[in-house]
């Protein structure tokens, strides 16, 4: 297995370089002068502009800029924004907020999505199955900003079940409502994947053999059918965790959570390329690591899978 892990880590290197280079190129292709943006409409002396452009390597070709960025990254340096503040310091206080939000949303879609999927899969074609399919289709169809404002209005303001915004109540109370909103789409896919995979495995030969041996229903479903049904679900959950970490811009904005998504959105508006690239670089690393862990889980869920 260690050879497999090493090979996957080596394969992740070109993926990481290609992804970060693409992001770097897209961010720095944004129109406008980021140095001039610091002063707004006020003019900046030409010598000051040139000094700042040289300091932040803006006069260099794109590949040279990227090379200098990667060299700093290898030394643990995410760079500075255009006011001299370290990107790592700007993001350090925000990672906790985004991580707590992502974990809350991930646990929500994992627990409720699996429960609904198993419930529907065991009752395929019945009322429970229809309710789960209809409800998840509705969640997929509703945009996250509509769901977020509606949940905030009803559950936060009118019924006062959850805090409406901010992080004053700490984890988990401040993160339950935004976590449910952020995880609603993932919950729908987890439920549908679990339902479809479980219903298919319940018709497999090995399940019929287990039933013929007289095994209990709970053991047939839990130890045999459900275990094999979780492989596509685990794949989705692994990918979705990285998506939750990087895709919380709208949710953090609605619920006024000072996380990475909010910082990235503000940095794009201010044309602070180093901040955007630094945040996304860390998200790419998290995404690659989670996908490696998902691949290793396959062997646990299905003993037929071997790492060579």
């Amino acid at each position: 297995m260690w050879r497999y892990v090493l090979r996957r880590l080596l394969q992740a290197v070109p993926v990481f370089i290609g992804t970060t280079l693409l992001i770097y190129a897209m961010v720095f292709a944004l129109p406008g002068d980021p140095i001039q943006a610091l002063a707004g409409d006020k003019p900046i002396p030409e010598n000051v502009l040139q000094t700042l452009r040289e300091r932040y390597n803006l006069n260099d070709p794109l590949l040279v800029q990227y090379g200098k960025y990667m060299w700093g990254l290898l030394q643990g340096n995410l760079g500075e924004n255009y006011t001299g503040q370290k990107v790592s310091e700007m993001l350090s206080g925000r990672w906790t907020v985004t991580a707590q939000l992502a974990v809350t949303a991930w646990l929500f879609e994992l627990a409720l999505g699996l429960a609904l999927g198993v419930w529907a899969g065991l009752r395929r074609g019945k009322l429970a199955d229809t309710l789960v399919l209809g409800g998840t289709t509705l969640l997929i169809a509703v945009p996250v900003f509509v769901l977020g404002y509606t949940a905030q209005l009803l559950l936060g303001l009118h019924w006062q079940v959850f805090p409406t915004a901010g992080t004053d109540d700490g984890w988990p109370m401040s993160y339950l409502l935004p976590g449910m909103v952020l995880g609603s789409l993932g919950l729908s896919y987890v439920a549908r994947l679990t339902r479809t995979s479980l219903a298919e495995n319940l018709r497999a030969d090995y399940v019929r053999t287990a039933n013929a041996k007289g095994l209990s229903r709970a053991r047939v479903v839990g130890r045999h059918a459900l275990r094999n049904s979780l492989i596509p679900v685990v794949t989705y959950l692994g990918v979705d965790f990285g998506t939750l970490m990087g895709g919380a811009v709208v949710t953090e904005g609605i619920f006024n959570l000072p996380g990475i998504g909010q910082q990235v959105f503000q940095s794009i508006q201010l044309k602070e390329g180093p901040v955007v690239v630094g945040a996304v670089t860390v998200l790419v690393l998290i995404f690659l690591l989670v996908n490696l862990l998902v691949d290793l889980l396959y062997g646990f869920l299905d003993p037929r899978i071997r790492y060579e």
Side-chain angles (χ1 to χ4, degrees), residues 32-44:
D33 188 342
I35 303 300
Q36 181 62 55
L38 293 175
D41 296 330
K42 298 180 180 179
I44 299 179

Side-chain angles (χ1 to χ4, degrees), residues 98-285:
T98 297
Q100 289 176 332
L101 175 61
V103 168
T104 304
W106 192 81
L107 292 175
F108 171 69
E109 65 184 53
L110 169 65
L112 191 55
L114 282 178
L116 291 174
V118 171
W119 187 47
L122 294 176
R123 295 162 178 80
R124 185 172 183 178
K126 299 181 180 179
L127 177 61
D129 188 22
T130 303
L131 289 175
V132 170
L133 289 177
T136 53
T137 301
L138 180 63
L139 284 177
I140 293 172
V142 177
V144 65
F145 63 88
V146 174
L147 185 63
Y149 282 121
T150 303
Q152 189 179 51
L153 180 64
L154 295 178
L155 298 176
L157 292 177
H158 286 294
W159 298 332
Q160 298 182 355
V161 179
F162 302 104
T164 56
T167 59
D168 292 341
D169 293 289
W171 191 88
M173 283 306 300
S174 295
Y175 297 88
L176 286 176
L177 187 57
M180 288 189 291
V181 171
L182 182 61
S184 60
L185 182 63
L187 178 149
S188 303
Y189 288 125
V190 169
R192 295 171 77 95
L193 279 172
T194 305
R195 175 256 181 197
T196 303
S197 186
L198 180 59
E200 180 180 348
N201 279 298
L202 286 173
R203 298 197 301 264
D205 293 338
Y206 69 89
V207 172
R208 285 196 291 267
T209 301
N211 286 323
K213 289 181 177 180
L215 298 180
S216 66
R217 179 68 169 171
R219 186 173 182 182
V220 171
V221 173
R223 186 169 181 177
H224 297 283
L226 182 58
R227 185 172 177 177
N228 288 334
S229 302
L230 288 179
I231 292 179
V233 179
V234 168
T235 302
Y236 175 78
L237 285 170
V239 173
D240 194 49
F241 185 77
T243 304
L244 292 173
M245 287 289 293
V249 176
V250 176
T251 308
E252 289 181 359
I254 294 173
F255 293 95
N256 193 29
L257 299 176
I260 294 297
Q262 188 183 82
Q263 179 65 67
V264 169
F265 180 72
Q266 293 173 353
S267 298
I268 291 174
Q269 290 182 311
L270 297 173
K271 297 183 176 63
E272 291 184 334
V275 181
V276 178
V277 174
V280 176
T281 296
V282 178
L283 292 175
V284 170
L285 287 172

